[in-house]
Amino acid sequence: EETDGDGDGDPEEESDPQIVSDSFSVRGTVEQVYVWNAEPQTAFEILDAGGGVVAEGTLDEWGGWVARELEPGDGYVVRLKDDPQDFTDQIRVWPEENDPPDESFYTDQVLEPGFGYITMRDGTKLSAFISLPGPPEDGPYPTLVNYSGYSPSRPGESLGGVAELFCEDFPVLCDAPSHPSGIIAGVLGYATVGVNLRGTGCSGGAYDYFEPLQLQDGYDVIETVAHQSWAKFNKVGMVGLSYPGITQLFTASTRPPSLAAIAPFSVIADTATSTLVPGGIYNNGFALEWIDMVLDKAEPYAHGWITALVEAGDTVCEENQMLHHQKLDAIEKALENPYYTDEVAAPLDPTAFAHKIEVPVFLTGQCQDEQTGPHFPALFDRFVNSPLRRFTITNGVHPDGFAPQILGEWMNFLSFHIRKEIPSLEDNVKNLVPLVMVEIFGSEGLSVPPQRFTEYDDFETALADYEAEDEVRVIFDSGAHPSVKPGAPRGTFEDTFPEWPIPSIEPWRLYLTPEGDLSENAPEAGGSYCSFEHDPEAGQRVFLNSGAIEVPQPDYAWRQPDPGKAASFLSDTLDGDRALIGPASIDLWVRSTADDADLEVTVTEVREDGLESFVQSGRLRVSHRALRDDATDLRPTHTHREEDIAPLVADEWNPLRIEMMPISHVFREGSRIRVVIDTPGDSCGRWRFLLLDYDTPPVHSIAHDADHPSSVLLPLVPGIEAPTDQPDCTAMRGQPCREYQAYENVVGPE
């Protein structure tokens, strides 16, 4: 329904607060005004309540324009610049904080199975695909939402192949959502709703990376879906890996009353400091590639399914494309904001708002995630207001949340908090899972773990026992289980812990020595330093040679450190297993021939068999070395604020601490721990780094004397002994393997 409007844009009074002129369309929304539906290159002016022109623009080639950063208020008017007599009624620009509409706004929307639209409080329609496990009248069904800028609302399609053999038992396989969590949940009997973010797919509006409007939309999506007659308990959960995992954190922070729980996989902890600019160094590999990809997918008609719908007569989708080219360039915004600020960075930092989330959380990730990165455990202790938390850490790569070793506990979590039933699994589902996993991960032997609640007959008792379990689960040696192909995502053993950080951690300090050792003894008087030359080419090198990283044994090309380009330190042979779980701190004394330096520290395991396994890395632009107030001995968090940037003091030893990303690894008896310090690069599957640019590569030096005792502080968890032998080095998922080669440091005396 369209209206000529009364100018106030109040969602409680208007079903569609869109203002219509005879020659163009306008909508006021959060700190923005949309203008569309006129000839391209038509010029417009926006006047405030006092009659002053506050914005000017022209429609792009698709016939749309978005005026941003407008002051909230009533009385705005949009008019043709060349025909001032053609103007709208007064419209309202909404503030970022605005009250949700009356409950009737949500209950009045009736959503049918299949493709359709959900109306937001400002009148914008978001495209959605709804998959029910049966007819609406046979519900209600436990319901899950997937919300992202990919294609979650694409109309269902048959998965084809072997999946079609199971369509009678699982109809979702032949009318499948385009997001894996929707397919898996559909097989389990859940209703799923895939919704495209504003400005993507067939949704209206223009895309901007996690702008306040996207959060507000998430709230409206949750409330509208939950108020459907087919949604069980009138509550919904959110699911998804990566992008649709991250959106859960943002949406849950708005506290929709009908949100029951979230289950994000493989997410960022902080847009800027953990993924986009880790350690203050731009990730111009996956991070910028991802933003570029998302922006491309937000273009008009970016997907074939959009074109197909429009050609079939979907006029809503067709009209919604008019504003898509008005997306905000997130790459430009990122490059213009290299430092952490409360205005730009903090709203995109889930660690800064996770305390607002008040529903149960099931969060998992991998310590070698090549896309969103391994920083996700920084969120664990931030969910202080969540009534129940379940976290799983394992070694591995980005999509591993969909492995059965994760999905088994995911199903338990959803059953308790969304379905509200004792977890159980039908035999036909158990039989289907291994076949699906062969398709996804290329290995047999990936089946659902034994169910833990089959002996219960009382839901409340089962729930109470579940809630009493430990919060943190760590799966070790994923890829090395003997029942699967080497490298397939199944661990050999696991352990649980009551909270994060793990209370039993005993910080273990090893000092860098002049001989290139790692020693528990601090250096004595005298000592020396070692030096290495900056490698300007390293930042663009990754350790994946070619092909996909999620296959059981990727085509890794993990380079040896070049002579003179690194400093290497090796521990004594371990006299027992050593489990390291959590972040680590690399505490260095540094000087350089330059006033700034990009440094990376990599921890590896040098095994008895002469092979070396990658474990973890961390990096820092040393001008960003100022620490935050919440820095700890094991986690040296940095401010990354412009006012704290400080060059290295010339000709002096400068103390600094580098945060090692979280480790989850058991070093076996007979192995040695290696620490390599060099230029960032050669340490990730898809991350690349925009390094400092020098006329001549500088030389960086690391001190290891009594007055300047450089060291590493590791998160040792005592009492863990691996029940299995040293795993096949090439099987460790996400952890490249190479032959160990001794390295000679360039050493200079003090």
Side-chain angles (χ1 to χ4, degrees):
E1 179 184 353
E2 295 183 354
T3 173
D4 62 0
D6 61 8
D8 65 6
D10 189 336
E12 297 185 3
E13 298 182 9
E14 295 186 27
S15 60
D16 185 355
Q18 173 178 320
I19 310 303
V20 179
S21 167
D22 290 339
S23 55
F24 60 93
S25 299
V26 171
R27 173 171 290 127
T29 187
V30 175
E31 298 180 354
Q32 300 175 22
V33 168
Y34 294 164
V35 186
W36 77 99
N37 221 7
E39 288 297 318
Q41 304 307 313
T42 302
F44 286 90
E45 295 176 329
I46 300 178
L47 286 65
D48 62 16
V53 176
V54 294
E56 297 182 68
T58 59
L59 301 191
D60 61 27
E61 62 266 38
W62 296 94
W65 172 49
V66 176
R68 292 183 168 91
E69 298 183 359
L70 298 176
E71 289 292 326
D74 299 321
Y76 283 93
V77 169
V78 181
R79 70 184 183 190
L80 287 171
K81 187 172 184 179
D82 294 335
D83 185 5
Q85 299 307 308
D86 191 349
F87 60 90
T88 64
D89 288 345
Q90 292 186 353
I91 60 175
R92 181 189 181 206
V93 172
W94 299 15
E96 180 177 332
E97 299 292 335
N98 61 82
D99 293 333
D102 286 342
E103 189 174 11
S104 61
F105 177 79
Y106 304 116
T107 57
D108 288 349
Q109 296 192 56
V110 178
L111 306 181
E112 303 288 349
F115 181 83
Y117 293 90
I118 304 175
T119 303
M120 302 296 99
R121 70 186 69 174
D122 69 345
T124 299
K125 297 181 183 296
L126 304 189
S127 57
F129 178 72
I130 298 169
S131 175
L132 303 185
E137 59 271 18
D138 288 352
Y141 305 105
T143 302
L144 302 170
V145 172
N146 183 291
Y147 177 52
S148 84
Y150 294 150
S151 291
S153 69
R154 188 201 71 190
E157 295 180 351
S158 172
L159 296 181
V162 68
E164 293 195 345
L165 301 176
F166 298 89
C167 288
E168 184 174 348
D169 286 339
F170 307 109
V172 67
L173 300 178
C174 286
D175 190 22
S178 65
H179 45 102
S181 60
I183 299 170
I184 298 168
V187 167
L188 296 173
Y190 289 84
T192 65
V193 182
V195 182
N196 263 92
L197 296 174
R198 181 177 294 249
T200 70
C202 278
S203 294
Y207 178 81
D208 181 4
Y209 178 80
F210 286 115
E211 63 174 333
L213 263 172
Q214 283 186 14
L215 281 64
Q216 178 178 285
D217 289 347
Y219 182 108
D220 289 349
V221 165
I222 295 301
E223 291 306 304
T224 303
V225 172
H227 280 80
Q228 301 307 302
S229 61
W230 42 259
K232 193 173 184 180
F233 307 118
N234 292 121
K235 294 279 189 176
V236 301
M238 296 188 77
V239 293
L241 182 149
S242 193
Y243 199 177
I246 300 166
T247 61
Q248 296 177 53
L249 303 174
F250 283 86
T251 299
S253 73
T254 69
R255 303 186 181 108
S258 303
L259 181 63
I262 61 173
F265 294 173
S266 302
V267 298
I268 60 172
D270 170 13
T271 297
T273 61
S274 68
T275 304
L276 179 61
V277 196
I281 307 168
Y282 270 116
N283 173 2
N284 68 343
F286 177 78
L288 290 186
E289 291 168 3
W290 181 84
I291 294 174
D292 193 45
M293 177 268 292
V294 170
L295 291 176
D296 285 345
K297 291 182 181 296
E299 278 289 303
Y301 299 96
H303 305 276
W305 63 269
I306 299 174
T307 302
L309 284 171
V310 172
E311 290 178 348
D314 189 333
T315 57
V316 175
C317 184
E318 181 179 22
E319 184 172 359
N320 282 347
Q321 301 306 304
M322 294 181 185
L323 285 169
H324 281 203
H325 193 61
Q326 288 292 301
K327 62 190 181 182
L328 192 69
D329 189 341
I331 295 176
E332 181 180 348
K333 184 177 181 180
L335 294 173
E336 288 176 349
N337 293 275
Y339 305 110
Y340 192 98
T341 64
D342 294 334
E343 297 75 25
V344 176
L348 306 178
D349 176 2
T351 65
F353 57 72
H355 65 280
K356 297 181 180 180
I357 296 174
E358 298 178 345
V359 295
V361 176
F362 181 90
L363 191 152
T364 75
Q366 296 68 238
C367 285
Q368 292 77 32
D369 190 314
E370 78 287 356
Q371 296 185 29
T372 49
H375 213 205
F376 62 95
L379 284 163
F380 288 0
D381 60 354
R382 300 303 180 100
F383 294 109
V384 294
N385 290 310
S386 170
L388 181 133
R389 299 165 292 274
R390 290 291 183 270
F391 308 123
T392 300
I393 307 173
T394 184
N395 61 293
V397 295
H398 190 64
D400 287 3
F402 290 130
Q405 64 183 1
I406 304 297
L407 290 179
E409 287 303 312
W410 179 76
M411 289 186 286
N412 289 338
F413 176 83
L414 294 180
S415 187
F416 280 120
H417 296 288
I418 306 299
R419 192 189 295 270
K420 297 190 181 299
E421 296 176 2
I422 297 172
S424 64
L425 208 58
E426 300 293 334
D427 287 341
N428 58 355
V429 176
K430 296 177 186 177
N431 296 333
L432 176 65
V433 169
L435 300 177
V436 174
M437 291 301 140
V438 170
E439 297 293 321
I440 296 175
F441 293 111
S443 174
E444 297 180 351
L446 292 170
S447 57
V448 178
Q451 293 177 273
R452 300 191 292 111
F453 296 94
T454 55
E455 302 302 318
Y456 288 83
D457 56 14
D458 177 71
F459 174 76
E460 294 300 330
T461 302
L463 176 62
D465 286 353
Y466 176 75
E467 291 177 339
E469 293 178 350
D470 285 344
E471 289 187 358
V472 180
R473 176 188 183 213
V474 181
I475 302 173
F476 297 102
D477 299 347
S478 185
H481 196 281
S483 70
V484 299
K485 180 185 292 187
R490 183 175 178 184
T492 62
F493 71 104
E494 62 184 68
D495 208 339
T496 64
F497 306 92
E499 60 184 341
W500 187 272
I502 294 170
S504 59
I505 283 178
E506 294 180 359
W508 182 26
R509 190 174 297 278
L510 298 174
Y511 292 92
L512 282 54
T513 76
E515 296 76 26
D517 297 330
L518 292 173
S519 172
E520 292 184 341
N521 300 316
E524 298 178 355
S528 63
Y529 63 91
C530 58
S531 301
F532 62 91
E533 185 180 273
H534 170 82
D535 183 352
E537 307 301 323
Q540 299 306 301
R541 294 196 299 257
V542 296
F543 59 44
L544 183 66
N545 191 41
S546 63
I549 200 169
E550 65 269 17
V551 299
Q553 291 187 298
D555 182 18
Y556 285 127
W558 186 29
R559 300 173 74 255
Q560 299 285 345
D562 290 331
K565 297 291 181 66
S568 176
F569 303 88
L570 196 63
S571 76
D572 290 336
T573 299
L574 300 177
D575 59 3
D577 292 350
R578 297 289 191 277
L580 304 183
I581 308 173
S585 181
I586 317 299
D587 302 342
L588 303 177
W589 291 84
V590 175
R591 71 184 183 194
S592 175
T593 58
D595 65 357
D596 203 354
D598 290 332
L599 299 180
E600 182 169 75
V601 182
T602 300
V603 172
T604 72
E605 178 178 8
V606 178
R607 302 154 41 112
E608 273 192 298
D609 57 12
L611 298 176
E612 180 179 15
S613 178
F614 175 88
V615 175
Q616 193 53 283
S617 62
R619 56 206 57 84
L620 179 69
R621 178 160 292 169
V622 300
S623 58
H624 288 241
R625 62 190 180 277
L627 296 176
R628 290 189 341 201
D629 292 341
D630 63 356
T632 65
D633 288 346
L634 279 169
R635 185 163 180 240
T637 51
H638 300 91
T639 69
H640 297 293
R641 293 182 181 272
E642 185 173 15
E643 60 267 28
D644 295 329
I645 300 302
L648 288 168
V649 179
D651 301 321
E652 291 186 15
W653 291 113
N654 297 260
L656 59 90
R657 301 175 63 202
I658 299 175
E659 180 184 1
M660 176 70 63
M661 295 295 98
I663 299 171
S664 174
H665 187 81
V666 176
F667 292 78
R668 295 311 205 275
E669 180 180 358
S671 291
R672 292 178 291 174
I673 297 173
R674 187 185 192 191
V675 171
V676 177
I677 306 171
D678 59 4
T679 305
D682 299 310
S683 57
C684 300
R686 294 184 65 180
W687 283 19
R688 293 179 169 85
F689 302 102
L690 189 62
L691 301 175
L692 291 165
D693 188 20
Y694 305 100
D695 292 335
T696 301
V699 173
H700 310 313
S701 299
I702 310 296
H704 31 65
D705 60 51
D707 294 327
H708 310 99
S710 296
S711 64
V712 299
L713 190 65
L714 301 173
L716 177 64
V717 180
I720 297 178
E721 294 185 4
T724 56
D725 294 334
Q726 178 79 272
D728 177 354
C729 188
T730 65
M732 294 291 284
R733 193 157 174 85
Q735 299 181 243
C737 177
R738 67 188 178 193
E739 291 186 4
Y740 169 68
Q741 294 182 10
Y743 189 87
E744 186 173 350
N745 290 338
V746 177
V747 178
E750 274 292 346

